[in-house]
Amino acid sequence: MSNNSDGVFGVLHHRDPAVSENPGSANIYEFVEEKHIDDVKSMESTKQPPKLQRKLKGRQMGMIAIGGTIGTGLFIGSGSTLADAGPAGALVAFAVMGSMVFFVCTSLGEMSTFIPTSDPFNHFGARFLDPALGFAFGWNYWYSWMLTVGSELVACGIIVQYWLPNLNSAIWSVISLLVMFSFNAISVRGYGEAEFWMASLKVSAVLVFVVVGILTVTGATGGEFIGGKNWHVEGAPFKDHIVGVLKACIVAAFSMQGTEIVGITVGECANPRREVPRVIRSVFWRILFFYIASILIIGLVIPNSNPNLVSASGASDIAISPFTLVIKAAGADWAAHVMNAVVLVTVLSAGNSGLYACTRVLWVLANEGKAPRLLRRVTKYGIPLWALGFTSLCSAIIFCISLAGNQSVYVFLINLSGLTGMGFWLGISLCHWRFRRSYIAQGYSLDDLPYVASFFPFGPVYACTLLVIIIIGQGYGTIWPKFDAVSFVSTYLAIPLFLVFWLTWKLTKRTKWIKLMDIDLTSGTLLEMEQNGDIEVFAQEEGGWRKYTKWFHRKSD
């Protein structure tokens, strides 16, 4: 990232030497400044309709990003990677997928700080690729998280039944929906504070788990010294070699879904210029610690032959989750109750964030004419209440379907969201590739970007390659050793659904692929918002440890 030593606007004089010879490619910020100098005065005298409010603070965004990283995939599903690939194979899988998520987040960070929006998937897809792709990205993201919120309501009821088995689980699911709705309906600060404290609990749980795990491995809890003996049992350290690692990579990738939600919060961030780069920079270290450290501890304490590693897959299996097994190995019989509470908070956090993401994406779609106009309405507190209510209603319907005797319809709908997370990440990487190429082709200088993603073009190419492999490999178990037609269709159903959205908009609106020189790089930018007074101007700060780790985030040419 470039250093802005002259203040917020100190970099505006920097430009590519070739630009001065091409008046048609004037510096982007000079153009914006001249174009809107008169508009600012007229806007001050015009009453603006209610809109989203930039009330999210840096500490809230940081915890929202962390909360998106830590989910039930880590607490419950991570054990299956150890069973599939062995302790070393699981570490390799999470390291590879973690590096991919890091590059996806840096790509999203570069675009989101340049053009802050509450729906980067629809907006960037329509702006840098094809309007029809943006439409498909937006609606697929909405229905994916809407279905996820519905499934989290089901999980909440199951988790509480662990303590109160005689009460109907639907009661707790309804209460959970009311809690999620309330957090989102009060204000964006309400959502931010709720996520801050729920994420804090999850972080504390992982920290305690790592400490207890280290004590257990060394025998400090009173048991035997374990050391690395579980890395020498049958199937360790690598099980099934490359096949096992690939299977573990698929699980690891799905465990990390949700990290992109921080890109949606940019639309309501008080200071995108400062906070978004800070949050994005921390992604690598969060993944390194929370996932790699946790998987390492699990692999040291639990042998990969433990049948519970495969059995634990849902909220009802908390008693045999890898986290519970490790804490029990330390002599804590109450581990299941503690982990059940942590997973309950995790599920509430996932549902809360999913409801927030759905609401903002749907609101942007409505403002762009891609959803009913009624959903554009915003309260005086900056809450798109109609979009929130519509999403909550749809998620409640999904929950009601789960109560039906035949679960096939519910399972079918949930499977629709299976591959969409990978599709969003693939779209982000493609958009970043096009954005950076267009930015350079139109003669603008990287010095003017508020945040510059590391290792371009390697980052988006690497991420796209891995994501294509994961998407194709997801159906591996439905083809080999025996082809299962129903499971195959269920696994890949999200792809034709995406094509339906894309072709519907493309054929009705007759959209075209946008050329690099035709991509709009002037409207809706961070600088335009700062000049119009939509975002308060803050001076960038750099100091402390950041100046010593600057090499890791160096600017690509």
Side-chain angles (χ1 to χ4, degrees):
M1 178 179 178
S2 58
N3 181 21
N4 186 357
S5 59
D6 300 323
V8 174
F9 300 108
V11 298
L12 300 189
H13 64 279
H14 295 299
R15 60 193 297 182
D16 195 301
V19 176
S20 59
E21 300 175 4
N22 184 5
S25 298
N27 183 286
I28 184 172
Y29 294 118
E30 293 174 355
F31 175 80
V32 171
E33 188 172 5
E34 293 171 1
K35 180 177 181 292
H36 294 284
I37 192 170
D38 295 325
D39 294 342
V40 176
K41 298 178 180 178
S42 61
M43 288 177 63
E44 291 176 350
S45 60
T46 304
K47 184 178 180 180
Q48 297 294 318
K51 56 184 179 181
L52 302 183
Q53 297 179 2
R54 295 188 172 275
K55 299 293 186 179
L56 286 177
K57 304 300 181 182
R59 66 178 180 85
Q60 295 170 332
M61 289 191 63
M63 279 300 180
I64 289 170
I66 293 176
T69 305
I70 306 173
T72 53
L74 174 62
F75 289 127
I76 298 178
S78 56
S80 64
T81 62
L82 182 62
D84 289 335
L91 276 177
V92 170
F94 273 93
V96 171
M97 289 299 100
S99 64
M100 181 267 292
V101 171
F102 168 73
F103 286 120
V104 170
C105 288
T106 56
S107 293
L108 182 60
E110 179 173 300
M111 295 184 292
S112 294
T113 48
F114 184 71
I115 304 174
T117 174
S118 291
D119 182 7
F121 316 104
N122 158 51
H123 189 83
F124 294 152
R127 191 160 181 162
F128 304 137
L129 301 175
D130 177 358
L133 283 174
F135 176 82
F137 282 139
W139 273 106
N140 273 262
Y141 194 84
W142 177 83
Y143 85 70
S144 172
W145 271 106
M146 181 274 296
L147 292 172
T148 299
V149 172
S151 68
E152 301 295 6
L153 295 177
V154 176
C156 284
I158 294 173
I159 293 170
V160 177
Q161 268 196 322
Y162 183 84
W163 293 306
L164 303 170
N166 296 324
L167 287 179
N168 192 328
S169 62
I171 297 175
W172 306 111
S173 298
V174 172
I175 293 174
S176 299
L177 178 59
L178 292 176
V179 170
M180 297 174 193
F181 184 89
S182 299
F183 283 146
N184 280 272
I186 297 173
S187 68
V188 70
R189 279 185 177 177
Y191 161 75
E193 280 300 308
E195 279 303 298
F196 177 84
W197 292 108
M198 286 191 284
S200 297
L201 178 61
K202 291 189 284 185
V203 170
S204 300
V206 175
L207 290 174
V208 170
F209 170 78
V210 171
V211 172
V212 171
I214 293 174
L215 295 176
T216 303
V217 170
T218 58
T221 57
E224 64 173 335
F225 176 80
I226 299 175
K229 72 175 186 179
N230 285 329
W231 280 52
H232 300 284
V233 299
E234 183 180 357
F238 287 96
K239 183 179 178 181
D240 293 338
H241 306 291
I242 186 64
V243 174
V245 173
L246 287 176
K247 290 169 67 177
C249 280
I250 294 173
V251 177
F254 279 87
S255 298
M256 295 181 182
Q257 287 191 23
T259 53
E260 78 286 341
I261 287 182
V262 69
I264 296 177
T265 63
V266 175
E268 292 170 277
C269 175
N271 184 6
R273 182 180 292 275
R274 182 180 63 194
E275 303 302 347
V276 176
R278 286 181 176 179
V279 172
I280 296 300
R281 287 192 191 106
S282 67
V283 168
F284 176 80
W285 305 109
R286 293 199 315 269
I287 293 173
L288 179 68
F289 179 79
F290 293 120
Y291 277 95
I292 303 302
S294 298
I295 295 300
L296 177 61
I297 293 296
I298 293 172
L300 288 173
V301 177
I302 306 174
N304 64 283
S305 58
N306 190 315
N308 290 326
L309 294 175
V310 179
S311 302
S313 58
S316 60
D317 301 320
I318 188 62
I320 55 175
S321 79
F323 273 63
T324 304
L325 295 177
V326 170
I327 299 177
K328 277 187 174 181
D333 295 332
W334 40 261
H337 293 283
V338 173
M339 285 310 304
N340 199 57
V342 171
V343 171
L344 176 60
V345 172
T346 300
V347 169
L348 283 172
S349 174
N352 191 43
S353 293
L355 199 56
Y356 170 84
C358 283
T359 301
R360 270 54 183 181
V361 168
L362 190 59
W363 179 78
V364 173
L365 287 169
N367 274 275
E368 295 183 359
K370 299 175 182 176
R373 294 171 58 89
L374 179 68
L375 301 174
R376 299 187 307 168
R377 297 185 180 181
V378 177
T379 69
K380 64 179 181 179
Y381 300 108
I383 301 298
L385 200 57
W386 285 84
L388 175 62
F390 178 75
T391 301
S392 301
L393 176 62
C394 291
S395 295
I397 291 174
I398 297 299
F399 166 70
C400 291
I401 292 175
S402 74
L403 299 177
N406 188 350
Q407 295 288 301
S408 58
V409 176
Y410 172 70
V411 173
F412 172 81
L413 290 172
I414 295 303
N415 284 339
L416 284 177
S417 63
L419 287 177
T420 48
M422 304 297 105
F424 306 142
W425 290 352
L426 182 62
I428 290 169
S429 299
L430 289 173
C431 287
H432 183 225
W433 172 265
R434 291 274 296 171
F435 165 73
R436 181 71 77 87
R437 289 186 62 202
S438 173
Y439 192 83
I440 298 300
Q442 294 187 31
Y444 302 131
S445 172
L446 293 181
D447 291 330
D448 292 332
L449 287 174
Y451 172 76
V452 180
S454 307
F455 309 113
F456 184 91
F458 172 78
V461 173
Y462 172 76
C464 285
T465 302
L466 283 180
L467 286 165
V468 170
I469 294 173
I470 294 300
I471 291 173
I472 295 175
Q474 174 63 16
Y476 170 81
T478 67
I479 301 174
W480 190 88
K482 182 181 179 180
F483 179 70
D484 185 340
V486 175
S487 298
F488 179 84
V489 172
S490 178
T491 299
Y492 289 108
L493 192 60
I495 296 178
L497 185 60
F498 178 88
L499 294 176
V500 168
F501 278 111
W502 172 59
L503 289 174
T504 299
W505 195 257
K506 190 168 189 66
L507 295 177
T508 56
K509 301 297 182 179
R510 300 188 180 278
T511 64
K512 295 181 179 180
W513 187 262
I514 304 174
K515 298 179 180 179
L516 291 179
M517 298 304 295
D518 294 334
I519 290 177
D520 177 15
L521 296 176
T522 58
S523 62
T525 64
L526 174 62
L527 183 71
E528 181 186 52
M529 295 180 183
E530 289 174 336
Q531 291 181 324
N532 289 342
D534 296 328
I535 297 179
E536 186 178 353
V537 178
F538 295 84
Q540 283 184 304
E541 299 175 357
E542 183 172 0
W545 63 270
R546 288 185 182 83
K547 64 182 180 182
Y548 298 109
T549 59
K550 197 175 173 184
W551 61 271
F552 186 78
H553 312 288
R554 67 180 182 273
K555 182 187 68 181
S556 303
D557 291 330

